[in-house]
C-alpha cells in the first residue's frame, strides 16, 4: 500500500512538471527511505525539488496507540529555487524535514514554521522553512485514503523565523511583497522586520 502512494505521487509529478526527475535517496534508522526528486528543464527558470516518501503513511500523533493506518493527512514538500546555483546538501535537509512526521510525530501543514537548526544547504543563510500550499495542488489517492497535499517549503532565515513566531506567516509574506523579494533566489536578502 505505501509503495503505491509513492508511485501515484511520482506519476502525478512527472505529468504535472513534464519531465523525468533526478532522484536522490536518503535513509534514516528505523524509517523507510525518503527520496528527493529534482525536476529541471533546460529553459525553465526554476528547479523544483519534491520529497517522495513523507506521504507513505498518514501523519498522526505519535502517542496515539490507535492511529488510523489508512486515513489521515498526508503531505510532500516542494522547494522551488532559481536554476543555475548549486545547492549542496539540500536533498539531505529536505529528506530530514520529510522524515519528521515519522520520526518526531510532526504534523506538517500550511503556515507551519519548521526550524532545522542548521543551514538548509551547505553555506546557506536559511535555517528554517515556512510552509504553504504549492501550486502543484493535491494528489488524489484511492479511497479511503486522504489525498496528498503538496506543501511548498520556502527557505527563511533565523530572523525571518523569529518574525513568523512574533507576527505570523502572513506578516512575513507581506514584507516579502513590499520589499519585492524573490523567495526563489538562493542569494536573496532577508526581510527586515518593521
Amino acid at each position: 500500500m505505501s509503495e503505491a502512494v509513492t508511485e501515484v505521487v511520482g506519476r502525478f509529478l512527472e505529468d504535472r512538471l513534464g519531465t523525468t526527475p533526478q532522484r536522490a535517496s536518503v535513509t534514516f534508522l528505523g524509517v523507510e527511505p525518503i527520496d528527493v526528486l529534482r525536476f529541471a528543464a533546460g529553459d525553465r527558470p526554476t528547479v523544483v525539488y519534491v520529497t517522495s516518501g513523507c506521504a507513505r503513511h498518514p501523519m498522526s500523533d505519535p502517542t496515539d496507540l490507535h492511529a488510523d493506518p489508512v486515513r489521515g493527512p498526508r503531505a510532500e514538500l516542494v522547494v522551488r529555487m532559481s536554476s543555475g546555483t548549486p545547492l549542496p546538501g539540500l536533498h539531505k535537509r529536505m529528506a530530514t524535514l520529510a522524515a519528521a512526521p515519522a520520526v518526531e510525530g510532526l504534523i506538517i501543514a500550511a503556515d507551519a514554521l519548521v526550524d532545522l537548526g542548521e543551514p538548509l544547504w551547505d553555506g546557506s543563510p536559511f535555517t528554517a522553512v515556512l510552509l504553504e500550499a504549492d501550486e502543484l495542488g493535491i494528489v488524489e489517492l484511492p479511497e479511503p485514503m486522504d489525498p496528498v497535499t503538496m506543501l511548498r517549503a520556502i527557505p527563511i532565515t533565523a530572523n525571518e523565523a523569529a518574525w513568523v513566531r512574533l507576527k505570523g506567516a502572513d506578516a512575513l509574506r507581506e514584507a516579502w511583497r513590499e520589499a519585492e523579494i524573490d523567495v526563489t533566489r538562493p542569494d536573496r536578502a532577508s526581510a527586515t522586520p518593521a
Side-chain angles (χ1 to χ4, degrees), residues 87-89 93 118-127 186:
L87 305 171
R93 276 42 160 246
E118 65 176 328
L120 191 54
W121 60 85
D122 300 348
S124 167
F126 308 108
T127 57

Side-chain angles (χ1 to χ4, degrees), residues 9 92 142 182:
V9 169
K92 292 178 186 170
D182 179 357

Side-chain angles (χ1 to χ4, degrees), residues 181-193:
I181 291 175
D182 179 357
V183 295
T184 67
R185 292 181 54 93
D187 59 348
R188 74 169 175 86
S190 175
T192 306

Side-chain angles (χ1 to χ4, degrees), residues 7-59:
E7 289 165 14
V8 170
V9 169
R11 284 192 301 272
F12 171 87
L13 292 170
E14 288 188 30
D15 183 56
R16 287 294 302 274
L17 296 169
T19 186
T20 302
Q22 296 173 319
R23 180 181 303 264
S25 187
V26 181
T27 305
F28 301 93
L29 186 62
V31 180
E32 294 161 284
I34 301 286
D35 290 344
V36 177
L37 311 177
R38 181 181 182 273
F39 293 87
D43 59 344
R44 194 174 282 159
T46 58
V47 178
V48 181
Y49 298 83
V50 186
T51 61
S52 176
C54 181
R56 276 191 186 102
H57 308 287
M59 293 178 278

Side-chain angles (χ1 to χ4, degrees), residues 38-113:
R38 181 181 182 273
F39 293 87
D43 59 344
R44 194 174 282 159
T46 58
V47 178
V48 181
Y49 298 83
V50 186
T51 61
S52 176
C54 181
R56 276 191 186 102
H57 308 287
M59 293 178 278
S60 62
D61 183 337
T63 61
D64 184 355
L65 299 177
H66 304 290
D68 192 321
V70 177
R71 292 186 178 91
R74 296 174 191 258
E76 295 291 356
L77 301 173
V78 180
V79 172
R80 296 173 178 272
M81 299 302 292
S82 298
S83 59
T85 304
L87 305 171
L90 175 61
H91 69 285
K92 292 178 186 170
R93 276 42 160 246
M94 284 186 71
T96 299
L97 290 170
V103 174
E104 301 171 19
L106 179 69
I107 296 179
I108 55 176
D111 290 338
L113 168 68

